[in-house]
């Protein structure tokens, strides 16, 4: 089933993101974790793609397993940074061979060794280039793209960021998924601005319940996300208590999701970080709202 069709249903839905293993030695444990999340019967599950494509085989293995074993629609990530057309086209063919029709088109992070390098000769400099490639390979692909409620870290300002976002939609992106955020008002303001700019495709808010205080600081640093005082207080109070921290961030994430549903946003994506217990507790908190 295509993600864009799921998003057209006028009812609350919840989806989860998982990531593939980095090595074969932990494949079974990661696969088991993703299966536990699939048993919750989310609206769909996305499977990330390691930097430089190092986990691309595992991405497809996990996505295909979820789809075939549990009937959960899957969204396979694909990145293109510093890749050649030949290598990207090979990955696209592998996605098609796996029977996956939903693809998240991402540029990907610039490898540290290539920071500051001349990118003018790269086959793919931006995610929009990959979207064009996917549409050319198969017009039937349902394509997702990323967006940043607060601004992409490399953009000079939000106006410019939204202009580039419009290019991705015009190239063929069927829906957008946001970077994590901790203040819903940032999202509401962002949605107003992009609608004013003529971007009308569905936008799925991305919520990340980070249960480790050290990971919170790292994630904020990498994404540039604004941390509201309410969330800072949560981390300060429970950061040294793993069980308390987990319960607190699950409650915080649940509160964010309920507020989104209450304000007419039906589809929410949770960056569940391969943690079935976190996914299950959030899902349980919303079970009556979701009708499950």
């Amino acid at each position: 089933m295509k993600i864009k069709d799921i998003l057209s249903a006028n009812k609350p839905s919840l989806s989860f993101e998982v990531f593939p293993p980095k090595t074969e030695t932990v494949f079974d444990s990661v696969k088991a974790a993703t299966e536990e999340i699939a048993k919750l019967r989310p609206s769909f599950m996305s499977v990330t793609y390691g930097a430089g494509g190092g986990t691309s085989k595992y991405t497809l293995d996990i996505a295909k397993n979820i789809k075939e074993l549990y009937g959960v629609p899957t969204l396979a990530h694909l990145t293109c940074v510093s890749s050649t057309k030949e290598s990207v086209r090979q990955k696209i063919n592998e996605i098609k061979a796996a029977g996956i029709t939903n693809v998240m088109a991402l540029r990907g992070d610039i490898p540290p060794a290539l920071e500051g390098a001349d990118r003018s000769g790269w086959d793919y400099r931006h995610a929009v280039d990959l979207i064009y490639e996917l549409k050319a390979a198969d017009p039937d692909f349902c394509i997702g793209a990323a967006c940043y409620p607060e601004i992409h870290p490399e953009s000079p300002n939000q106006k410019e960021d939204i202009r580039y976002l419009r290019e991705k939609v015009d190239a063929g992106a069927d829906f957008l998924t946001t970077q994590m955020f901790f203040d819903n008002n940032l999202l509401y303001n962002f949605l107003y601005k992009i609608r004013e700019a003529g971007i009308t495709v569905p936008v799925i808010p991305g919520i990340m319940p980070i249960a480790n205080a050290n990971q919170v600081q790292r994630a904020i640093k990498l994404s540039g996300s604004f941390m509201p005082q309410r969330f800072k207080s949560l981390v300060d109070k429970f950061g040294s208590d793993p069980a308390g921290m987990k319960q607190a961030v699950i409650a915080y994430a649940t509160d964010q999701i309920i507020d989104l549903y209450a304000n007419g946003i039906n589809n929410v994506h949770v960056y569940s970080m391969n943690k079935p217990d976190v996914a299950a507790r959030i899902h349980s908190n919303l079970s009556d709202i979701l009708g499950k």
Side-chain angles (χ1 to χ4, degrees), residues 273-287:
M273 309 197 43
N274 289 15
K275 296 188 182 300
D277 59 331
V278 172
R281 287 165 68 175
I282 291 175
H283 188 272
S284 177
N285 288 345
L286 302 166
S287 58

Side-chain angles (χ1 to χ4, degrees), residues 5-234:
D5 295 329
I6 295 171
L7 301 179
S8 66
N10 189 27
K11 60 179 183 179
S13 74
L14 194 66
S15 55
F16 294 106
E17 182 166 292
V18 296
F19 55 83
K22 292 183 179 180
T23 64
E24 183 70 33
T25 56
V26 295
F27 180 83
D28 288 342
S29 62
V30 170
K31 176 170 169 284
T34 63
E35 288 180 358
E36 287 301 308
I37 295 173
K39 289 176 184 177
L40 299 172
R41 301 292 177 186
S43 59
F44 70 89
M45 289 174 64
S46 67
V47 187
T48 66
Y49 189 89
T55 66
S56 60
K57 177 183 182 301
Y58 302 133
T59 295
L60 291 182
D61 287 344
I62 294 293
K64 188 176 180 182
N65 180 65
I66 292 167
K67 177 174 175 284
E68 293 181 351
L69 199 60
Y70 295 95
V72 175
T74 52
L75 171 66
H77 287 213
L78 180 64
T79 65
C80 61
V81 63
S82 73
S83 298
T84 64
K85 285 189 177 292
E86 290 74 20
S87 64
V88 166
R89 288 170 180 172
Q90 179 183 343
K91 296 304 178 187
I92 292 173
N93 288 334
E94 290 171 0
I95 290 171
K96 292 172 67 175
I100 294 170
T101 58
N102 301 301
V103 184
M104 188 72 177
L106 304 165
R107 186 200 69 178
D109 296 329
I110 303 294
L114 296 177
E115 286 285 353
D118 178 13
R119 306 177 199 174
S120 60
W122 289 9
D123 288 338
Y124 305 94
R125 296 172 59 194
H126 305 287
V128 66
D129 303 322
L130 179 57
I131 294 171
Y132 280 123
E133 189 75 60
L134 285 162
K135 280 296 183 184
D138 190 345
D140 198 45
F141 273 133
C142 178
I143 301 174
C147 61
Y148 293 75
E150 298 172 67
I151 191 175
H152 189 286
E154 297 176 18
S155 292
N157 54 63
Q158 193 171 50
K159 183 178 180 180
E160 191 77 354
D161 198 26
I162 291 174
R163 183 176 71 82
Y164 285 122
L165 185 62
R166 175 66 186 265
E167 288 184 5
K168 290 195 282 189
V169 173
D170 289 345
D174 295 292
F175 65 93
L176 304 169
T177 302
T178 77
Q179 175 62 271
M180 66 177 181
F181 58 91
F182 298 94
D183 183 344
N184 287 4
N185 288 324
L186 293 169
L187 175 77
Y188 300 140
N189 182 263
F190 172 73
L191 290 176
Y192 174 80
K193 289 180 179 179
I194 66 170
R195 299 314 186 205
E196 286 287 298
I199 298 173
T200 60
V201 298
V203 176
I204 311 174
I207 302 298
M208 181 176 281
I210 311 175
N212 181 294
N214 292 331
Q215 289 178 347
V216 169
Q217 300 301 333
R218 181 173 181 273
I220 297 299
K221 182 178 180 180
L222 289 174
S223 68
S225 297
F226 167 71
M227 186 188 293
Q229 186 56 50
R230 180 169 167 241
F231 192 78
K232 288 181 182 178
S233 298
L234 181 157

